[in-house]
Amino acid sequence: GESVGLHLPTLSVQEGDNSIINCAYSNSASDYFIWYKQESGKGPQFIIDIRSNMDKRQGQRVTVLLNKTVKHLSLQIAATQPGDSAVYFCAENHKGAQKLVFGQGTRLTINP
Amino acid sequence: DAGVTQSPTHLIKTRGQQVTLRCSPISGHKSVSWYQQVLGQGPQFIFQYYEKEERGRGNFPDRFSARQFPNYSSELNVNALLLGDSALYLCASSPRTGANTEAFFGQGTRLTVV
C-alpha cells in the first residue's frame, strides 16, 4: 500500500547547526517527492522537490537527498535559524496518481 | 502575486449541518486539490479537479463533494457534518494535472463541528 513515514516525530537542534529530517516511503512506484514546511496555523509551504531520476537537489540553505535503493528521503537545512521552527512533511506522488501522500510530520525546534 | 486563497478562515458548525468551503487558485493554475488535515497528522487527499473535471478522489464518504468553476476556483461541500469532520481543510493549486507537478497550498479553513 501507499505510505510515507518519518523516522522521528520531533527534532531539536541548536541555532546555527545543520538539521537533517528523514523520511521513508514504501511505494516503489513513487517518482516525485516534495518537502513542505508548516508553521502553526498556516498551510504547508513548498520548500523543495525532487524527481526520481535525481539523487540530490539543492535550494537556498536546503538540500534534498533521495536514495531509491532504500526508499529514503532526507531534507538538510544548513545553519538552522529560529524561523525554521515548524513541522516538516515529506510527500510523495507516483506516476498516474493525482494525489500527494503525506507522512505524519517532524516537528523541528531550535534551541538558542 | 496572490497565492492560493481560501475562505472562510474559520468556521463553526453543528452536527448534521452542511458546509461549503471556497478556494481560488494561483493565477494561471488550472488544477485544484482538496486535503483534510486532522490535528497532529499530515494532510489526506480528498479530491482533485482539473479543467472542471474530477481527476482524483480519496477515500472519503459521499458526504464530501466538490466542483470547479470556469475561472478554476473551487468549492468543497460537506453534508451531514460529523464531529470527526473537524479539521483544517486545505486547498492546493497546481499549474497542471498529473504526476511530478508542484502543489502550492492555501492557509486552509479551520472547521470545527460541535
Side-chain angles (χ1 to χ4, degrees):
Chain A
E2 302 169 350
S3 68
V4 177
L6 296 176
H7 293 310
L8 295 172
T10 61
L11 178 66
S12 183
V13 300
Q14 291 295 124
E15 182 177 349
D17 287 352
N18 296 334
S19 302
I20 300 176
I21 301 172
N22 295 303
C23 177
Y25 64 96
S26 60
N27 192 335
S28 58
S30 296
D31 57 2
Y32 179 60
F33 304 87
I34 304 177
W35 279 101
Y36 287 94
K37 171 187 179 183
Q38 187 172 28
E39 297 174 280
S40 181
K42 297 184 178 180
Q45 176 187 353
F46 181 99
I47 301 174
I48 191 168
D49 61 357
I50 188 168
R51 290 168 171 72
S52 59
N53 61 351
M54 303 172 68
D55 297 323
K56 178 180 180 179
R57 191 167 187 218
Q58 289 184 293
Q60 186 176 10
R61 279 202 310 121
V62 295
T63 301
V64 55
L65 299 177
L66 176 62
N67 186 329
K68 295 180 287 293
T69 302
V70 296
K71 298 177 188 173
H72 183 267
L73 191 69
S74 68
L75 176 71
Q76 300 179 3
I77 304 173
T80 311
Q81 304 169 357
D84 295 327
S85 294
V87 176
Y88 289 81
F89 292 97
C90 64
E92 63 159 325
N93 176 258
H94 60 86
K95 192 174 296 184
Q98 302 296 335
K99 64 180 182 180
L100 291 171
V101 177
F102 284 80
Q104 291 294 315
T106 293
R107 180 173 297 281
L108 177 64
T109 59
I110 314 304
N111 299 319
Chain B
D1 288 341
V4 179
T5 58
Q6 293 186 242
S7 63
T9 54
H10 295 83
L11 201 54
I12 299 175
K13 289 286 190 178
T14 304
R15 278 179 298 176
Q17 286 188 314
Q18 172 266 339
V19 68
T20 298
L21 311 180
R22 297 174 176 83
C23 171
S24 292
I26 293 170
S27 178
H29 285 195
K30 299 182 178 181
S31 175
V32 169
S33 299
W34 288 95
Y35 289 78
Q36 180 195 66
Q37 186 177 23
V38 175
L39 193 63
Q41 298 184 16
Q44 297 289 317
F45 174 77
I46 308 176
F47 287 111
Q48 193 217 20
Y49 277 78
Y50 178 74
E51 293 281 14
K52 296 177 291 181
E53 292 187 359
E54 182 183 301
R55 293 299 187 95
R57 173 184 284 255
N59 188 25
F60 280 81
D62 291 343
R63 299 184 296 106
F64 288 77
S65 63
R67 56 180 176 169
Q68 186 177 33
F69 300 97
N71 65 354
Y72 304 113
S73 67
S74 178
E75 288 183 350
L76 174 70
N77 188 76
V78 186
N79 292 323
L81 285 166
L82 304 174
L83 295 180
D85 295 330
S86 294
L88 181 67
Y89 287 85
L90 296 161
C91 173
S93 164
S94 299
R96 54 194 175 276
T97 189
N100 299 339
T101 301
E102 307 93 331
F104 300 93
F105 285 85
Q107 297 287 69
T109 294
R110 171 72 62 187
L111 173 64
T112 302
V113 183
V114 297

